[in-house]
Amino acid sequence: MDRVNYLFYQLFLKIKYEKRRYFLYVLSFYVGLLLPTCCIANTRSVEQVIYYTTFKGMEDSFQVDWLSRTFNTIKLDKEISYSISAFYEESFPEWENQYVSIKGIDESYFYPLPKIEGRTFSKNELQEGKDVCLMNKQYARMHACEIGDMIQIRDKRLKVIGLIDNSVYSGMIIPYQTMLNVYKEEKDIQFSGTFFCENELQKQKRIDEVIEQIKEKDNHADILGVTEGEELYKNALYTKIQWRIVRGMCALVAILFFMINETIVLMAKAKKERKIMGINLALGATERDIKYCLFFETLLVTLLAVFLVMITLRPLAKLASLEHIIILDSMVIVETVILAVWACEILTWIIVSRINEYSNAIVHAFQRFRAPFS
């Protein structure tokens, strides 16, 4: 058995006979990695929200928001791409009068829909206004609703055909034509229209045309605002940058805390074992061998901690009602593993650099002791 294999053999024996101490090491690493992983997962949720609030060609569009009691106010040429959405806060008596955001979308809806458990709307359902809906997972869980259940909205009973992600849509989505049938007598419906324009010269003309049609169908309509797509896109990117900076700073502080905490733990551990390290050096092991062994030991503990983080992150987020802002996907797992390996390398280098002086002293003492007998 060569010296490297012997060192690893010693390591496995040590872990075998000191299970309790290594369990505490894993627990310490787990607590230290939990917050950085939460920050990474939260950053991923922000990126997904940005993805679902932008669409291809957004810079070449404009958005008009208005309040009205009249549906189907916009009729433009077929060559023009546009989409109309409607919004209303509905009170559900059977849910203790809880207000839920209802959103109606048409078949031309530009924004991507999130991952749906179940199925999304068919083109026929959107065009004809079928009595179907998509429900937020949080509301479904709170009120024990499942796919296939019926939901009462005013005088309509809608079938739940899918459950949507909490971090993107906080209420319910129904076809625009269905919303027309449900709220045809309501006075305060908020509408939002997104319109594509061929060029900048025609944009103002198109805006005037849209506003004119709204006023023509409902002279009491209140125009809330007109926003160019480029501004919407820049605002989305600015929000993303802000969130990344804030979460990045939180993650940096969390990583620094993790590094300091684990350095203290591993230095205390190394202090107890430095005599053994010195003896191993005296018996022929190199500093490189010791470093590899320490790195493997730290990596093993860290990967076990990462595994515990991955299997407990979602349950903990759910317990704290934060599952809608924590996204645990393959990218989060890869980034956390990279962070763990990087931390192992840094921690190993710190430990080796601190124990070299003491270990060298032991080597010289051991050599002086052995000299008369050689």
Side-chain angles (χ1 to χ4, degrees), residues 56-260:
K56 186 178 180 181
M58 191 176 196
E59 302 92 328
D60 300 322
S61 68
F62 65 89
Q63 179 177 303
V64 180
D65 298 293
W66 70 97
L67 288 174
S68 177
R69 62 183 302 175
T70 305
F71 285 79
N72 297 331
T73 54
I74 307 297
K75 297 293 182 182
L76 299 178
D77 296 337
K78 292 183 178 180
E79 294 78 16
I80 301 173
S81 297
Y82 67 95
S83 173
I84 308 295
S85 303
F87 306 86
Y88 189 78
E89 291 289 329
E90 177 67 39
S91 175
F92 284 81
E94 64 272 25
W95 295 349
E96 299 179 354
N97 293 315
Q98 182 178 9
Y99 279 91
V100 178
S101 175
I102 308 294
K103 181 174 183 177
I105 63 172
D106 60 13
E107 65 271 18
S108 301
Y109 190 65
F110 297 126
Y111 293 93
L113 289 174
K115 184 178 179 181
I116 296 172
E117 181 182 335
R119 68 173 180 87
T120 188
F121 303 116
S122 67
K123 187 175 181 179
N124 182 60
E125 288 171 338
L126 290 169
Q127 290 177 338
E128 297 184 10
K130 298 294 185 179
D131 295 338
V132 291
C133 69
L134 301 175
M135 175 177 281
N136 174 279
K137 286 183 179 179
Q138 184 177 0
Y139 288 120
R141 185 167 55 252
M142 287 172 56
H143 303 291
C145 291
E146 298 180 354
I147 296 173
D149 288 351
M150 304 300 291
I151 301 295
Q152 185 79 32
I153 305 180
R154 300 289 176 95
D155 59 346
K156 292 284 185 180
R157 287 180 59 80
L158 277 62
K159 182 179 180 181
V160 178
I161 61 171
L163 303 178
I164 52 179
D165 183 49
N166 304 332
S167 62
V168 182
Y169 293 101
S170 59
M172 297 172 59
I173 304 177
I174 64 178
Y176 183 82
Q177 294 299 321
T178 304
M179 197 160 187
L180 184 155
N181 297 328
V182 174
Y183 296 107
K184 53 189 174 184
E185 301 297 331
E186 189 58 49
K187 295 181 180 179
D188 299 318
I189 300 292
Q190 180 179 341
F191 296 89
S192 181
T194 303
F195 307 86
F196 277 94
C197 199
E198 296 81 3
N199 53 63
E200 288 294 326
L201 296 176
Q202 293 186 355
K203 183 173 289 185
Q204 188 57 50
K205 179 181 177 182
R206 192 73 65 203
I207 292 173
D208 294 338
E209 182 183 356
V210 169
I211 293 176
E212 182 181 350
Q213 287 196 20
I214 294 171
K215 290 292 187 179
E216 183 180 341
K217 293 291 182 69
D218 182 7
N219 57 358
H220 297 293
D222 183 12
I223 305 299
L224 301 177
V226 178
T227 311
E228 294 196 10
E230 187 175 358
E231 183 180 348
L232 291 171
Y233 189 71
K234 286 181 178 179
N235 289 340
L237 290 182
Y238 180 69
T239 302
K240 178 179 178 179
I241 292 170
Q242 280 187 316
W243 275 80
R244 286 184 71 89
I245 290 174
V246 173
R247 294 302 182 271
M249 292 176 64
C250 292
L252 185 62
V253 172
I255 292 168
L256 183 61
F257 169 77
F258 167 73
M259 296 293 290
I260 293 173

Side-chain angles (χ1 to χ4, degrees), residues 43-60:
T43 302
R44 288 288 296 157
S45 73
V46 174
E47 291 177 353
Q48 288 202 8
V49 170
I50 298 301
Y51 170 75
Y52 292 119
T53 53
T54 57
F55 55 86
K56 186 178 180 181
M58 191 176 196
E59 302 92 328
D60 300 322

Side-chain angles (χ1 to χ4, degrees), residues 21 39 328:
R21 187 152 64 95
C39 291
L328 183 59

